[in-house]
Amino acid sequence: MFNLQANNTTIKTEILAGFTTFLTMAYIIVVNPIILSDAGVPFEHVFIATIIASVIGTLWMALFANYPIAVAPGMGLNAYFAYSVVGANDQIGYEIAFGAVFVSGIIFIILSLTPFREKLIEAIPANLKHGITAGIGLFIAFIGLRMSGLIVAHPENLVALGDLQSPPVVLTLVGLGITIVLMALNINSALFLGMITTGIIAFFTGQLRFDDGITSAPPSPEWFIFGSPLQAFVDVVQYGLYAVVFSFLIVTIFDTTGTMIGVAEQAGLIKNNKMPRVRQALLSDAVAKTVGSIFGTSPTSAYVESTAGVAAGGRTGLTTVTVSILFVLAIFFSPAVNAVSGLPAITSPVLIIVGSLMIGVVADINWKEFDEAFPAFLIILSMPLTSSIATGIAFGFISYPLIKLVKGKGKEVHPLVYIFGVLFLFQLVFLPH
């Protein structure tokens, strides 16, 4: 079913890759409810909705697309939901906002059923695709540095070196050193073994504690928080939420598309600038987003942390089946998941190392041609600095056709790149993001 032999992988490798991906993204189970609770959504509702959306999207990706790419509610999108959509407007409650997510999800599904998104992926120039992959690499490495405390905020220089004597930073450096040694020795499952070893050290040094126990009873899910599908469309019209729906739509399209390109390229799954079974892969996020809104969570996205599983050897949907199973188990082991995901030192070394592996594609960018190199450079630079994959892609889509036009090469640009260049410019200038 998963064509393990054709993809040069094994059951053991795929399962360990699934564990690696899950451990690097498990924080979303706790962080997403915390953020959405600021919009008034009950923590328990978001907790179970986060898991339901993640399981549905990730399983769809596994069974229909056979890709090692996990899907879950997206960071950034949840903050936009909580603070820009609900928090900034007293008339918009979270129920109405979930309706807007549902409407954008339905539009998303329709677009994914057409050749539109496939054509979009094919329309993205190869150098921009390499830039997206490298930008994602820097982005997740920066996430690892920031979450661990190795890099901290600075009032003048924005970022600075953290306290190298603090226990979390020391643990991160120890975990990074162990994982680097395992990688250098070409030991199988080096990333996973590095996390396990770091977790054991954290437990015996008192940094990893299970004060709330290991297991707990799961909360009951709620259906159609926004009332009904018809009510969702009525509310969008009544409250004029067109810009909100558009923002949810365009950000999720390019967050997911960019992440899929980056992960697939890292795994060697893109052939001749094309991604096999791309329609099924894109549908996974569209379906998860729609179902997630029904149960009460913000839009989903393909998860950049999937690169950790790919670096651990994951090449097929068996990796994401494993991730889905672990999400289901997390319903019953939420205190343990909370404890592990609350200690970034366990997962940060993996993100830093995976970032170093992904940045290698910069060698494939045509640096000799300014009109090809500069848009790719903008993507690479802006993704970590704006903490947004979609914003990085936006800068690339805006600058690429402009420079081509100035150089008299406008006919080389696909019409879709022009269209989305204009849409991105409009979104960045006039809409909240």
Side-chain angles (χ1 to χ4, degrees), residues 99-184:
V101 176
F102 176 81
V103 171
S104 68
I106 295 296
I107 299 173
F108 204 19
I109 289 176
I110 294 171
L111 289 176
S112 298
L113 287 171
T114 68
F116 168 75
R117 289 182 75 188
E118 294 179 59
K119 297 296 183 184
L120 177 60
I121 288 181
E122 294 175 10
I124 300 175
N127 285 298
L128 291 193
K129 286 179 179 175
H130 298 326
I132 290 169
T133 302
I136 289 174
L138 284 184
F139 180 32
I140 64 172
F142 181 70
I143 290 174
L145 292 169
R146 180 174 53 81
M147 289 176 59
S148 65
L150 274 168
I151 295 294
V152 296
H154 189 278
E156 296 177 3
N157 298 325
L158 299 183
V159 292
L161 185 66
D163 181 6
L164 298 184
Q165 295 183 357
S166 70
V169 173
V170 171
L171 180 62
T172 300
L173 292 173
V174 170
L176 184 61
I178 291 171
T179 310
I180 288 173
V181 170
L182 295 174
M183 291 284 291

Side-chain angles (χ1 to χ4, degrees), residues 9 62 72 134 143 176 200 204 209 222-223 225 262 284 295 309 312 352 363 376 404 423 427:
T9 185
I143 290 174
L176 184 61
I200 292 172
F204 284 105
R209 297 187 298 270
E222 285 202 9
W223 293 61
I225 290 179
S284 65
F295 286 95
I352 295 167
K404 286 291 185 180
L423 291 176
Q427 192 243 356

Side-chain angles (χ1 to χ4, degrees), residues 335-415:
V337 172
N338 188 11
V340 174
S341 62
L343 188 61
I346 295 176
T347 56
S348 289
V350 173
L351 298 180
I352 295 167
I353 291 172
V354 170
S356 75
L357 298 176
M358 295 185 71
I359 196 67
V361 297
V362 296
D364 298 323
I365 296 173
N366 183 7
W367 294 107
K368 295 181 179 180
E369 299 291 336
F370 182 77
D371 51 326
E372 294 287 337
F374 187 74
F377 167 75
L378 272 184
I379 292 174
I380 296 170
L381 180 69
S382 57
M383 276 190 190
L385 294 184
T386 64
S387 297
S388 171
I389 293 171
T391 300
I393 296 173
F395 284 129
F397 266 72
I398 293 168
S399 61
Y400 188 84
L402 282 176
I403 298 176
K404 286 291 185 180
L405 285 171
V406 171
K407 297 260 302 184
K409 300 179 180 180
K411 292 182 179 180
E412 296 181 5
V413 182
H414 195 285

